[in-house]
Amino acid sequence: MPKIIDHEKRRKQIAEATWRTILERGMEGATVRNIAREAGLSLGALRHYFTTQDELLGYAMTLVKEKAAARINEVAKTDLPPKEKAVRLMLEIIPTDEETMAEMEVWFAFTAYARHKGEEFHPQHDGILAYIRGLIDWLDDNKHLKPNLDKETEAEKLYAIADGLALHALLEPERLSKEKISRVLVQHIESLFI
Amino acid sequence: MPKIIDHEKRRKQIAEATWRTILERGMEGATVRNIAREAGLSLGALRHYFTTQDELLGYAMTLVKEKAAARINEVAKTDLPPKEKAVRLMLEIIPTDEETMAEMEVWFAFTAYARHKGEEFHPQHDGILAYIRGLIDWLDDNKHLKPNLDKETEAEKLYAIADGLALHALLEPERLSKEKISRVLVQHIESLFI
């Protein structure tokens, strides 16, 4: 059914134009009109793919999540040693290159914007906490985790470290290099291991 | 010089009207006109105290910092046991009540807004990292810190934990109670102690 595939491909292109618009102009500038221009579409053509601005922004955020999930799955499939794998898995959710920095920028702008938009948006439900709980469980199941750790507190702490580093990497990219981020993660993951 | 005192007092009242406006309407709604209305002033009267919107917003953010600094100084003066004091000092920079939640909300909205405003704003330079480095040094000077810790990495990690918890407390206040935040901080501070 090539028509449906084209439809989805076009929606992705529009989502990417949305990210570029947010990166250049901030959320204030992410109007349907500006996004259409960035995507090289008429306003009417864009409306064919997304009826409302909120639908478009929601979809653009979903794609950010999907891209991160795809990267995580790639790392999960490797057979790196457990410590290294755990660090690499955490690095996938912290902006350390142009692509992930752009994703974080979009997430940040979108989350701030959505806070005054009421209940339709739940950008915080990005699945990261569930993902980190899964990582702690995996370490535990494989007998890597120190005994007597409170897994729930450790998951909450690792979640805070991940989003704290992500926020600082976004706001102070010159101070917080990838090396510094890695050093914190390596040190922390090692502190969890037997 | 009562006139100067009145001037400063009025500027603070306007800054507080700015926070309320941001909390109610988001940054999009934090126009000089809306802030003047919230402060009960004419546009002309407001311009007497702040020439530009950026000057007003910058001052409102400075006041957020000053309020946090005043709370921190109060805790620093107490003679709590070191572990408890360290946890309390960290809790002062994480939103756990209505006042600090409002400060975080303003910080978040303002930071997102300022990212597309160029170089005049540096909301990330809030002094928190320097504050946390000072806390680690204080623990070290008083022989509480485990030997062989890399203090710079520990400061970066504690900074990430603080801002990560602050972000999550803002975005998910129902999930992340003050008790949960305290549990993470107590566990982490204890892990640093001899």
Side-chain angles (χ1 to χ4, degrees):
Chain A
M1 295 192 293
K3 273 223 151 165
I4 288 177
I5 292 169
D6 282 354
H7 189 84
E8 201 45 37
K9 194 175 157 195
R10 182 52 64 95
R11 279 166 63 93
K12 281 195 182 171
Q13 286 169 348
I14 296 169
E16 282 160 14
T18 306
W19 296 339
R20 289 195 303 274
T21 308
I22 293 173
L23 290 176
E24 275 164 34
R25 297 161 174 263
M27 285 305 291
E28 314 83 89
T31 60
V32 176
R33 190 172 299 272
N34 285 339
I35 293 166
R37 190 180 304 131
E38 178 69 37
L41 291 173
S42 72
L43 214 52
L46 187 135
R47 289 247 159 78
H48 176 64
Y49 296 97
F50 297 99
T51 315
T52 65
Q53 190 195 18
D54 284 1
E55 187 195 345
L56 169 51
L57 293 174
Y59 179 76
M61 278 305 291
T62 305
L63 268 200
V64 168
K65 266 169 71 171
E66 284 179 5
K67 283 173 78 177
R71 287 196 308 271
I72 286 165
N73 283 335
E74 282 308 303
V75 177
K77 274 191 272 176
T78 61
D79 35 290
L80 290 165
K83 258 182 220 178
E84 214 177 311
K85 194 174 198 167
V87 171
R88 281 283 307 281
L89 285 168
M90 293 305 297
L91 275 174
E92 291 303 332
I93 55 170
I94 297 170
T96 53
D97 59 27
E98 213 171 289
E99 185 187 342
T100 50
M101 193 64 90
E103 287 173 16
M104 178 72 189
E105 182 93 61
V106 168
W107 177 91
F108 190 71
F110 184 82
T111 301
Y113 166 82
R115 289 195 64 68
H116 295 278
K117 275 289 181 173
E119 289 306 300
E120 321 90 86
F121 289 113
H122 291 284
Q124 67 271 40
H125 296 156
D126 51 13
I128 302 289
L129 178 56
Y131 167 64
I132 285 175
R133 283 188 181 132
L135 180 61
I136 299 266
D137 283 338
W138 171 70
L139 292 175
D140 192 28
D141 293 346
N142 288 280
K143 315 278 177 233
H144 298 308
L145 217 55
K146 272 186 187 145
N148 306 324
L149 285 184
D150 173 354
K151 287 205 289 177
E152 187 48 38
T153 300
E154 291 299 340
E156 203 68 71
K157 180 164 141 184
L158 186 51
Y159 182 34
I161 291 172
D163 271 349
L165 288 175
L167 186 65
H168 296 156
L170 178 74
L171 299 180
E172 301 179 272
E174 280 164 31
R175 194 186 63 73
L176 200 61
S177 61
K178 186 171 181 178
E179 285 63 40
K180 267 195 189 167
I181 293 170
S182 296
R183 206 178 308 142
V184 173
L185 288 174
V186 167
Q187 187 270 8
H188 185 68
I189 295 291
E190 278 182 352
S191 78
L192 298 176
F193 270 66
I194 284 178
Chain B
M1 295 193 293
K3 271 223 154 168
I4 288 178
I5 291 168
D6 283 355
H7 188 84
E8 201 44 39
K9 194 174 156 195
R10 182 53 63 95
R11 278 166 63 93
K12 280 196 184 168
Q13 286 169 349
I14 296 169
E16 280 159 15
T18 305
W19 297 339
R20 289 196 301 275
T21 307
I22 294 173
L23 290 175
E24 273 164 36
R25 298 161 173 263
M27 285 306 291
E28 314 83 88
T31 60
V32 176
R33 189 172 300 272
N34 285 338
I35 293 166
R37 190 179 304 133
E38 178 70 36
L41 291 173
S42 72
L43 213 52
L46 188 135
R47 289 246 160 78
H48 175 63
Y49 297 97
F50 296 99
T51 316
T52 66
Q53 190 194 20
D54 284 2
E55 188 196 343
L56 169 52
L57 294 173
Y59 179 75
M61 278 305 291
T62 304
L63 269 200
V64 169
K65 266 168 72 170
E66 284 179 6
K67 283 173 78 177
R71 287 197 308 270
I72 285 165
N73 283 335
E74 281 309 303
V75 177
K77 275 190 271 175
T78 62
D79 36 292
L80 290 165
K83 258 182 218 176
E84 215 178 311
K85 195 174 197 167
V87 170
R88 282 283 307 281
L89 285 169
M90 293 306 298
L91 274 174
E92 290 304 331
I93 55 170
I94 297 169
T96 53
D97 59 26
E98 212 171 289
E99 184 188 343
T100 49
M101 193 65 91
E103 287 174 17
M104 178 73 189
E105 182 92 61
V106 168
W107 177 89
F108 190 71
F110 184 82
T111 301
Y113 167 81
R115 290 193 63 68
H116 295 280
K117 275 288 179 173
E119 288 306 299
E120 320 90 85
F121 290 112
H122 291 284
Q124 66 271 40
H125 296 156
D126 51 12
I128 302 289
L129 178 56
Y131 167 65
I132 285 175
R133 283 186 180 132
L135 181 61
I136 299 267
D137 282 340
W138 172 71
L139 292 175
D140 192 27
D141 293 345
N142 288 281
K143 316 278 179 231
H144 299 308
L145 217 56
K146 271 186 188 145
N148 306 323
L149 285 185
D150 173 354
K151 286 204 290 177
E152 187 48 38
T153 301
E154 291 299 341
E156 202 70 69
K157 181 164 139 183
L158 186 52
Y159 182 34
I161 290 172
D163 271 350
L165 288 174
L167 186 66
H168 297 157
L170 178 75
L171 299 180
E172 301 179 274
E174 281 164 32
R175 193 185 66 72
L176 200 61
S177 62
K178 185 171 182 179
E179 285 63 41
K180 268 195 187 166
I181 292 170
S182 297
R183 206 178 308 142
V184 174
L185 288 175
V186 167
Q187 187 271 8
H188 185 67
I189 295 290
E190 280 183 350
S191 79
L192 299 176
F193 269 66
I194 285 180

